[in-house]
Amino acid sequence: MTVHIHPSWLSVLAPEFEKPYWQNLTSFVKSSYTSWKCYPPGGLIFSAFDLAPFDSVKVIILWQDPYHTPGAAMGLCFSVPDGSPRQPSLRNIFQELDSDVGIKRIHTDLSDWAKQWVLLLNSVLTVEKWIPASHQWKGWEIFTDSVIHLLSESKEHLVFILWGNYAISKKDLIDSSKHCIITSPHPSPFSAHRGFLGSKPFSRTNEYLHIHQKSPVIWW
């Protein structure tokens, strides 16, 4: 399995890769991909870390784990390849994008956001086909919690977008005196109408970036 991670991430995460849990996690993932159908494809597991270099990250969007349906997961949270059906949460994200900043986005592939240094981070990076949360508590959460804490400690004036109770539970890893934390209910159909729609995360992000002299994200 060949994975791709930007060199800047490899450098700062090198100590993490030496910890015992990481060895157990990688053994589990390799075994799972050999024995079962898992997502995303092996080469895309670290896409979020490949497209958004550590040195440049300015926005973090956090979700729980990848899509477990065929052809959807691509290593970037909420993103699906262009031409694939829009997942329900992504439809609501696009609805809010239109309402918030007037953008009627067509592309379901969010790689362009990642290339503008938006880290589209799943807390768990892999999943077994048709079985949501099947790779939870295998070590991924330790890894991604370390990533969130590292970004919070190493940088200033980042925007952390936390949608839903699971993502919001990560607030304690973030220094709110240094960063902007935007929270709301999850964009899933079960909760979007309880406060996600109308929360204006896209304009709020760009307002904060502008105040701190960072380039806005072009959300098209």
Side-chain angles (χ1 to χ4, degrees), residues 81-177:
D82 284 339
S84 300
R86 292 187 184 186
Q87 298 289 320
S89 293
L90 188 58
R91 287 199 297 268
N92 285 329
I93 290 170
F94 285 2
Q95 181 178 336
E96 177 60 18
L97 182 64
D98 185 12
S99 173
D100 184 9
V101 292
I103 292 174
K104 297 184 183 298
R105 185 176 172 96
I106 298 172
H107 297 290
T108 59
D109 182 340
L110 305 181
S111 297
D112 57 306
W113 292 4
K115 292 174 183 177
Q116 295 178 75
W117 311 329
V118 178
L119 183 67
L120 297 169
L121 181 63
N122 283 311
S123 181
V124 175
L125 300 191
T126 57
V127 70
E128 187 178 331
K129 179 181 178 181
W130 299 126
I131 308 177
S134 50
H135 287 188
Q136 283 188 354
W137 317 123
K138 304 298 183 181
W140 280 128
E141 294 91 344
I142 301 173
F143 173 69
T144 52
D145 281 3
S146 296
V147 167
I148 295 167
H149 181 72
L150 176 65
L151 286 166
S152 175
E153 291 298 303
S154 303
K155 297 176 174 292
E156 292 184 335
H157 310 314
L158 300 178
V159 180
F160 290 84
I161 300 176
L162 311 179
W163 289 329
N165 291 335
Y166 180 86
I168 292 170
S169 72
K170 306 295 183 179
K171 281 181 66 175
D172 290 344
L173 299 170
I174 305 165
D175 185 344
S176 59
S177 70

Side-chain angles (χ1 to χ4, degrees), residues 33-55:
Y33 273 71
T34 300
S35 303
W36 313 101
K37 184 66 176 178
C38 297
Y39 301 123
L44 299 180
I45 292 173
F46 290 95
S47 287
F49 298 91
D50 192 38
L51 296 179
F54 173 79
D55 298 332

Side-chain angles (χ1 to χ4, degrees), residues 15-69:
E16 210 66 26
F17 299 146
E18 299 300 321
K19 295 180 179 179
Y21 87 85
W22 183 259
Q23 310 309 317
N24 295 332
L25 172 61
T26 54
S27 294
F28 167 78
V29 171
K30 289 176 182 177
S31 176
S32 296
Y33 273 71
T34 300
S35 303
W36 313 101
K37 184 66 176 178
C38 297
Y39 301 123
L44 299 180
I45 292 173
F46 290 95
S47 287
F49 298 91
D50 192 38
L51 296 179
F54 173 79
D55 298 332
S56 303
V57 169
K58 58 187 179 184
V59 180
I60 300 92
I61 299 178
L62 182 66
W63 197 20
Q64 193 161 354
D65 63 347
Y67 297 120
H68 59 274
T69 52

